[in-house]
Amino acid sequence: MLVAHTAAMTVPRFVQIHREDSAALRHELAQGLLVERAMVSPKFLYDALGSRLFEAITELPEYYPTRTERAIFDAHAAEMAAIAGRGRTLIDLGAGSCEKAARLFGALQPLRYVAVDISVEYLRQTLASLQRQHPQIEMVGVGADFSASLTLPPEVGRGERLLFYPGSSIGNFTPDEALRFLRQARAAGGAGSALLIGVDLVKDVETLERAYDDPLRVTAAFNLNLLRRLNALLGCDARVEDFEHVALFDVERSRIEMHLQARRALTLSWPGGQRRFAAGERIHTENSYKYTVEGFERLLREAGYARTRCWTDPQRWFAVFLAS
Ligand code: AVI
């Protein structure tokens, strides 16, 4: 009996609640290309190659968010855990390699770790090896697309929940979408839950633009890879060499915008459609909003979080909020 129980505790469980609908994806891509200001959702940046390129971006000296957030967690994890409470169910939204959450296991001592990512397949190997290192933590992998709506399956269990959303992924939503997401996170957490979230802050334009247009051109490759996805998913005939990567900070909207800009006049064609681009015309591929501490606190309050704590780095480049 004891053996069976131990075995059950050391094997992660998996549940896939998101199914890819390729017809819907094709429709979404075609619609985006046909509007006046062509756009493609940033979710299409993350195929296997795109995810690897993003991992490489996080190691660039110019891309300060990852290492700045890590330093904030390293310096303040014990205090965060003391406020959030130990022994919770830690729900990692967009877990990826699970590395960020795993670094907090020592401080937070979660009873259960729920890693949510769009593909459960991506989580299988990572969770299996993480489970071996932390046999005392019950682990669940959930394949879900929470960019549209955040609903958690019953496998998450009933314990008090700490939702974890690091990396300033909230910045890839518009402020309205961010507010909706924060409200949904509150509802998904339930009574007594808390949210630990990383947010990139407004800073000088040069630092911001270099972070999204690095001299090694890794971010350019990450952005241009979207054309390969257009070809694979939509049957489009885009040529990577016909476009260039553009990343600019819009001060008024407080966001980095990434675009793919046509180097010459060209036409993109796919089964059932086509779109002409003049030289210099762009496809908008991503927004990355930058907040002030006060602005994000306001958003948290509007979403219904009554108590917030915030930690930043000495330069105030990045902030981690604990909201309950
Ligand atoms: C995932 N997300 C928070 C990144 C960001 O900074 O907005 C994506 C990214 N795009 C270009 N570089 C990194």
Side-chain angles (χ1 to χ4, degrees):
M1 198 57 197
L2 183 63
V3 172
H5 179 70
T6 308
M9 291 293 282
T10 52
V11 178
R13 283 175 299 146
F14 293 95
V15 38
Q16 177 78 46
I17 55 175
H18 168 72
R19 296 264 164 255
E20 207 174 77
D21 176 348
S22 45
L25 292 182
R26 275 199 303 276
H27 179 73
E28 182 183 345
L29 285 168
Q31 289 305 107
L33 287 177
L34 290 171
V35 292
E36 194 187 336
R37 288 167 188 258
M39 49 153 300
V40 174
S41 161
K43 73 181 176 198
F44 293 102
L45 290 164
Y46 300 91
D47 63 344
L49 177 58
S51 300
R52 286 205 191 97
L53 287 167
F54 177 64
E55 289 290 313
I57 287 173
T58 64
E59 293 184 21
L60 292 170
E62 294 80 11
Y63 192 75
Y64 61 85
T66 311
R67 64 167 189 281
T68 311
E69 182 184 52
R70 190 186 305 130
I72 296 171
F73 280 128
D74 287 351
H76 303 290
E79 196 189 348
M80 293 172 188
I83 301 170
R86 299 184 176 84
R88 286 180 176 243
T89 295
L90 178 63
I91 303 174
D92 189 355
L93 300 170
S97 67
C98 306
E99 193 219 321
K100 288 182 184 178
R103 283 173 76 91
L104 294 176
F105 284 174
L108 294 173
Q109 296 172 24
L111 284 183
R112 188 179 297 129
Y113 171 57
V114 181
V116 185
D117 212 294
I118 193 141
S119 162
V120 86
E121 290 317 311
Y122 189 62
L123 294 170
R124 277 186 201 279
Q125 265 195 339
T126 323
L127 271 196
S129 84
L130 209 55
Q131 181 75 90
R132 279 192 293 277
Q133 293 163 45
H134 302 275
Q136 77 287 4
I137 305 175
E138 188 186 339
M139 296 196 183
V140 185
V142 177
D145 177 10
F146 56 84
S147 63
S149 106
L150 177 58
T151 11
L152 296 169
E155 283 80 356
V156 169
R158 287 168 171 270
E160 278 198 327
R161 297 170 172 186
L162 175 61
L163 278 81
F164 183 50
Y165 198 44
S168 200
S169 295
I170 189 91
N172 298 132
F173 293 134
T174 64
D176 281 352
E177 290 167 347
L179 180 61
R180 199 181 60 209
F181 172 84
L182 292 172
R183 286 190 171 134
Q184 286 180 354
R186 230 188 91 229
S193 72
L195 170 71
L196 189 58
I197 182 165
V199 180
D200 197 11
L201 300 179
V202 180
K203 58 188 65 59
D204 67 282
V205 173
E206 197 190 332
T207 304
L208 283 167
E209 290 186 348
R210 271 178 79 78
Y212 291 83
D213 195 5
D214 57 284
L216 208 52
R217 321 239 2 102
V218 183
T219 312
F222 174 66
N223 195 11
L224 287 161
N225 179 51
L226 204 66
L227 297 166
R228 297 172 68 249
R229 288 222 80 197
L230 269 180
N231 294 348
L233 293 170
L234 186 60
C236 193
D237 58 356
R239 286 161 27 112
V240 170
E241 51 275 43
D242 284 342
F243 287 85
E244 71 184 305
H245 164 70
V246 174
L248 295 167
F249 186 60
D250 181 329
V251 179
E252 236 157 71
R253 292 181 163 124
S254 198
R255 70 186 195 194
I256 284 278
E257 292 187 3
M258 287 208 317
H259 297 263
L260 291 166
Q261 180 168 301
R263 290 179 188 272
R264 59 178 180 85
L266 57 90
T267 301
L268 292 186
S269 304
W270 60 91
Q274 62 174 38
R275 164 74 193 246
R276 291 179 62 78
F277 286 86
E281 207 176 335
R282 294 170 176 173
I283 306 174
H284 189 168
T285 54
E286 188 184 60
N287 292 317
S288 194
Y289 281 83
K290 309 302 168 188
Y291 288 90
T292 59
V293 167
E294 300 70 31
F296 199 76
E297 266 165 0
R298 262 199 308 278
L299 202 64
L300 284 168
R301 272 200 301 278
E302 222 181 312
Y305 288 96
R307 273 181 310 214
T308 59
R309 272 295 304 267
C310 169
W311 294 265
T312 63
D313 55 292
Q315 290 172 292
R316 285 177 80 86
W317 276 8
F318 199 93
V320 173
F321 292 83
L322 180 61
S324 56

